[in-house]
Amino acid sequence: MGNPNYFPSIYCTYMTTEELKTALAAAVKGEVSDDAATLKTLSRDTSLFMRMPELVVYPTDADDVSAAVSLAARSAGTDMSGGPLTTGVVISFTEHMNHVLEVVSNLWVRPPVDSYAVTEPGVYYRDFERATLMKDLILPSYPASREICAMGGIVSNNSGGERTLEYGKTERYVEELDVVLSDGSQTTFKPLTPAELEEKKGLQTLEGDIYRTVDSLLVANAALIEEKRPKVSKNSAGYALWSVRDPKTGAFNLAKLICGSQGTLALWTKAKLKLVKPKEHRAMLVIFLSDLNILPEIVNRVLPQHPESFESYDDHTFTLAVKFLPQMLSQMGFARAAKLGIDFIPEAAMVATGGVPKLILMAEFAEDTIQEADRRATVAQEALAGLAVQTKIEKDEKESEKYWIVRRESFNLLRKNLHGLVSSPFIDDFVVPPSSYPTFLPKLNALLDEYKDNMIYTVAGHIGDGNIHIIPLMDLTKEENRQVILDLAPRVYELVISEGGTTTGEHNDGIIRTPYLTMLFGAEMVALFEATKKVFDPQNILNPGKKVGGTFEDIKRDLIHTAASH
Ligand SMILES: Cc1cc2nc3c(=O)[nH]c(=O)nc-3n(C[C@H](O)[C@H](O)[C@H](O)COP(=O)(O)OP(=O)(O)OC[C@H]3O[C@@H](n4cnc5c(N)ncnc54)[C@H](O)[C@@H]3O)c2cc1C
C-alpha cells in the first residue's frame, strides 16, 4: 500500500503552487517554503546548470519524505553534474534529518566483525567523521568536498576520494538503506539470502514488483551486464546492476543499486555504513615528472607497494600555487602560512628557473608506525631507480601537508583567482586504465589545446586509478564558449571509451552526462537501465531526466549564461 498522504506529481501538475504548498504543509511535520531567496539558492549546485524549483520541503523524518515523495532529493548541493536540480519540489535533508544515530566499534571483537555507523542523509561529512573518529573509525571513501558535502550525496553519487585507491568507493561500505519508494511506501534494502529474496518476490506491493523485476533482469541479462560492467577501477555512470548480487556470498542487496543512483530510484532516509580504523602514520613519496611517456611505468612500479593514495596535479596547478601562495597562506592563518612559505621555497625555485615538472605525483603510504610507513615509501622510491624523475620522501605528515593543500585546493586555486569566469565541470571526472596514459594523455592534450582560447584549465587527479579531473574556467556569457561544452565533451568521451574507460568515476551522470550513457554502455544496456527505472518509479517522478531520459536539449536549455558571482 502506498502512503495515504502521498502526492503523486501527476496530480500536482493540476495544482497551483499555492495549493500545492498548502497541501504539502498539511501533510508534513517539517516546513514547506517558496521563499524566493531560498529557491534561488536551491536552483544551483556546483554544476553548470540552473533549474528554479517551485517549492522546498524540509522533512523531519521518513514519514515526511513519504508524504512528499514526488520530488528531487538534495543534501548539501555540492553535486557537479546537476543531480539535485529540479523545476519541481526539492526535498532538503540537511535542516532536520542530520543526526548520526549510532557508531558501533567492533574493533576488538573476535572473530572479526565489521564496525559501522547508522546515519541520516542530512549529516555533513565533517560532522559524521567527528562522530566516527570518537571511536577511532572513518568512512574511507570520503570525497575531496568533505568539508562541504553531506552523507545523502556521498551515498547517492557513490562518491570516492583520495583513499579510494586502497579502500574502494562508497558502494563497498553501504550495507543497508531505509528507503522511501516512489509510491510513498517505506522499506529497508539490505543483503538477502536466496530464501529471503523469494519471500520478498512474493509481496504484492511495489517492493515485490521491484524484487521480481530486478532479479529477472539480472538473470536474463547476466552476460550483457558482465560484458558492459566498466572494467576500470571506479565508476559512477549508469545503474550498478553488476553490484546487486555479491559474487562471493550470493547475497542480493538493492542498497548497492540505490548507491550511485542520484535519487532517481528511491529516496534514502537512514543508512548503515561499514567503517574502518584509519592507519596512524603516513610517509609520502613525491615524484616530479617531466616526461609523460614514463608515467605508466611509474604507476606500474609504485602500485605494487600499495600506496593508500596516489594523486597528482599538473604544471598549471603548480605554477598557480606558487604565484598565489602568499594569498593562500594568508587565508590559512599566519603561523601555518609562515611554515608553508619556507617549505615551498625549493619547489618555487623550479618555477623561477623554468624547470617546472609536467606532473607532480604524491604516493602516500599509511602504516601503524612511522618507521614502517617510511620503509614502504623508501621501497617505492628505490623501485623508480633508473627512471628520469626527481623524487623525495616527506616523512613528516606536516611536511606532506603542503602537497595535499595544493592538490585539494587545485580547483579553488583557479576559481578564486580568475574572477568573472565560471568553473565548468563537463569533462571533470573520467577514468582510463593507467596503462593507456602514453597514448591517451598526448591525444587528450592535443584535443584540449584546440580549445585553449575558450577556457583555462588545470589537470589533477587520482593518478593511481586513472581518474582525471579537468574543470575549466570559462566565460559562459559567450555563446561560442557554451557550444564548446557540447562539442568537446563527446570528443573527450570518445577517446576515453576507446581506451576502455568510463565517463565518470565518482561525480556521477546528472544532467551533464546522462545523454552520454548510450555512447558508453550501448543501447541494450541503456534499455536495462530504463527497465530498472520503470519498475522503481513507473510514473517517472523521482528526479526525472537524470540517469534515464536526459537529453542534449536539457543541457542546452539549463546551461547557465551568467558570469561567476564571486
Ligand atoms: C570542490 C569539489 C570537490 C569535489 N570532489 C569530489 C570527490 O573527490 N569525489 C566525489 O565523489 N565527488 C566530489 N565532488 C562532488 C560532490 O561534492 C560529491 O559527490 C558529494 O558526495 C555530494 O554530496 P552532497 O550532499 O552535496 O549531494 P547533493 O549535491 O545534495 O546531491 C547529490 C545527488 O544525490 C541525490 N541525493 C541527495 N540526498 C539524497 C537522498 N537522501 N536520497 C536519494 N538521493 C539523494 C541528489 O538528488 C543528487 O542527485 C566535489 C564537489 C566539489 C564542489
Side-chain angles (χ1 to χ4, degrees):
M1 281 290 290
N3 185 306
N5 287 331
Y6 152 66
F7 293 96
S9 62
I10 207 156
Y11 302 133
C12 295
T13 53
Y14 299 112
M15 290 179 172
T16 64
T17 303
E18 208 42 50
E19 283 165 348
L20 178 60
K21 187 179 166 195
T22 310
L24 281 168
V28 300
K29 296 180 285 299
E31 305 81 31
V32 182
S33 170
D34 59 358
D35 169 64
T38 307
L39 296 184
K40 187 163 178 236
T41 306
L42 298 182
S43 73
R44 296 294 318 276
D45 49 7
T46 63
S47 73
L48 280 167
F49 303 104
M50 190 180 99
R51 281 188 184 172
M52 189 63 74
E54 196 179 356
L55 289 171
V56 55
V57 176
Y58 301 109
T60 57
D61 58 17
D63 289 340
D64 272 5
V65 180
S66 288
V69 72
S70 53
L71 316 159
R74 180 180 182 104
S75 288
T78 66
D79 193 293
M80 285 192 174
S81 71
L85 304 183
T86 177
T87 51
V89 181
V90 174
I91 187 157
S92 177
F93 288 101
T94 43
E95 283 69 15
H96 300 302
M97 295 183 68
N98 53 14
H99 304 97
V100 180
L101 303 172
E102 213 182 350
V103 178
V104 176
S105 167
N106 287 322
L107 288 175
W108 311 114
V109 176
R110 291 293 172 272
V113 179
D114 290 328
S115 300
Y116 64 90
V118 179
T119 184
E120 291 182 320
V123 180
Y124 281 91
Y125 178 78
R126 53 179 189 255
D127 299 328
F128 179 80
E129 192 183 85
R130 208 169 291 131
T132 61
L133 275 178
M134 282 163 69
K135 302 246 168 114
D136 199 16
L137 295 164
I138 60 160
L139 177 74
S141 60
Y142 62 80
S145 49
R146 47 176 286 144
E147 297 301 321
I148 51 173
C149 75
M151 304 311 293
I154 289 183
V155 169
S156 306
N157 274 348
N158 187 10
S159 282
E162 63 204 23
R163 296 197 185 164
T164 287
L165 181 64
E166 171 74 2
Y167 291 100
K169 296 213 304 162
T170 303
E171 62 197 339
R172 194 186 287 182
Y173 300 92
V174 174
E175 298 235 291
E176 294 182 20
L177 291 177
D178 282 9
V179 293
V180 173
L181 300 177
S182 63
D183 66 351
S185 60
Q186 297 174 27
T187 188
T188 302
F189 288 149
K190 60 181 183 184
L192 300 181
T193 62
E196 288 167 335
L197 173 61
E198 287 312 309
E199 209 173 297
K200 288 282 190 191
K201 282 163 65 180
L203 295 173
Q204 294 310 307
T205 56
L206 176 59
E207 187 186 0
D209 275 351
I210 291 171
Y211 276 107
R212 281 188 293 280
T213 306
V214 174
D215 188 34
S216 71
L217 276 181
L218 295 186
V219 172
N221 299 283
L224 175 69
I225 294 169
E226 180 48 33
E227 184 199 329
K228 298 293 179 183
R229 180 176 60 82
K231 304 299 183 292
V232 277
S233 63
K234 60 206 286 200
N235 172 66
S236 274
Y239 289 134
L241 290 167
W242 42 83
S243 300
V244 174
R245 202 170 246 124
D246 186 319
K248 283 194 201 122
T249 63
F252 189 100
N253 189 354
L254 288 176
K256 303 285 182 187
L257 185 62
I258 300 302
C259 179
S261 68
Q262 289 203 302
T264 61
L265 299 180
L267 305 185
W268 71 267
T269 55
K270 196 161 88 177
K272 182 177 174 193
L273 303 170
K274 266 195 294 196
L275 302 173
V276 300
K277 180 177 169 6
K279 296 267 171 52
E280 300 223 340
H281 297 279
R282 287 173 175 74
M284 182 187 282
L285 171 65
V286 189
I287 306 161
F288 302 94
L289 172 68
S290 294
D291 176 5
L292 287 181
N293 284 319
I294 57 173
L295 182 57
E297 186 56 25
I298 294 174
V299 174
N300 276 344
R301 293 193 196 185
V302 172
L303 282 185
Q305 315 308 325
H306 296 290
E308 184 183 51
S309 310
F310 195 5
E311 302 281 305
S312 70
Y313 54 87
D314 70 347
D315 45 354
H316 294 149
T317 312
F318 184 66
T319 310
L320 274 172
V322 173
K323 193 165 162 200
F324 294 107
L325 192 64
Q327 187 185 328
M328 275 176 69
L329 296 181
S330 67
Q331 283 163 3
M332 287 172 200
F334 182 73
R336 210 164 147 224
K339 176 154 183 23
L340 284 170
I342 294 161
D343 282 358
F344 258 99
I345 288 169
E347 281 78 14
M350 288 181 174
V351 177
T353 56
V356 182
K358 279 216 163 19
L359 274 184
I360 292 181
L361 312 181
M362 308 149 50
E364 193 163 65
F365 297 85
E367 281 298 340
D368 291 329
T369 65
I370 185 64
Q371 290 78 9
E372 185 52 18
D374 187 31
R375 190 194 65 75
R376 290 188 42 220
T378 307
V379 172
Q381 186 179 40
E382 285 164 4
L384 298 180
L387 294 179
V389 287
Q390 279 186 52
T391 58
K392 73 188 216 188
I393 292 179
E394 301 287 9
K395 295 184 189 173
D396 183 336
E397 277 177 57
K398 288 204 183 86
E399 297 289 313
S400 29
E401 196 185 348
K402 63 184 178 184
Y403 295 97
W404 276 120
I405 287 170
V406 179
R407 167 68 185 89
R408 288 178 182 141
E409 289 290 311
S410 53
F411 168 62
N412 279 336
L413 267 169
L414 259 189
R415 208 166 58 130
K416 286 184 186 157
N417 292 299
L418 292 156
H419 300 285
L421 301 181
V422 176
S423 52
S424 305
F426 65 99
I427 42 170
D428 45 302
D429 189 37
F430 54 81
V431 187
V432 291
S435 58
S436 73
Y437 287 150
T439 50
F440 175 77
L441 289 176
K443 284 188 203 159
L444 175 72
N445 281 331
L447 254 183
L448 295 174
D449 217 38
E450 286 182 39
Y451 298 89
K452 65 177 185 299
D453 295 338
N454 304 93
M455 59 191 206
I456 302 169
Y457 63 93
T458 57
V459 180
H462 311 289
I463 204 77
D465 43 26
N467 186 193
I468 296 172
H469 297 314
I470 303 173
I471 304 173
L473 286 184
M474 302 174 82
D475 176 355
L476 292 183
T477 59
K478 292 190 176 146
E479 162 64 25
E480 74 257 30
N481 290 347
R482 295 198 299 276
Q483 190 58 38
V484 167
I485 290 165
L486 290 150
D487 294 345
L488 176 57
R491 299 182 70 192
V492 170
Y493 291 147
E494 198 179 326
L495 189 58
V496 164
I497 293 165
S498 73
E499 297 286 359
T502 183
T503 48
T504 173
E506 32 185 56
H507 295 178
N508 222 301
D509 296 314
I511 300 171
I512 193 74
R513 271 177 290 269
T514 293
Y516 295 102
L517 286 173
T518 310
M519 189 175 171
L520 176 62
F521 287 105
E524 261 187 302
M525 193 67 188
V526 166
L528 285 191
F529 295 155
E530 286 164 358
T532 306
K533 169 74 175 173
K534 186 137 186 96
V535 65
F536 272 91
D537 182 16
Q539 295 185 70
N540 194 24
I541 57 179
L542 295 175
N543 213 359
K546 325 284 170 60
K547 293 280 178 187
V548 161
T551 64
F552 291 106
E553 264 318 301
D554 293 345
I555 297 181
K556 272 193 219 159
R557 188 192 56 236
D558 295 333
L559 205 56
I560 47 175
H561 288 44
T562 53
S565 51
H566 54 267

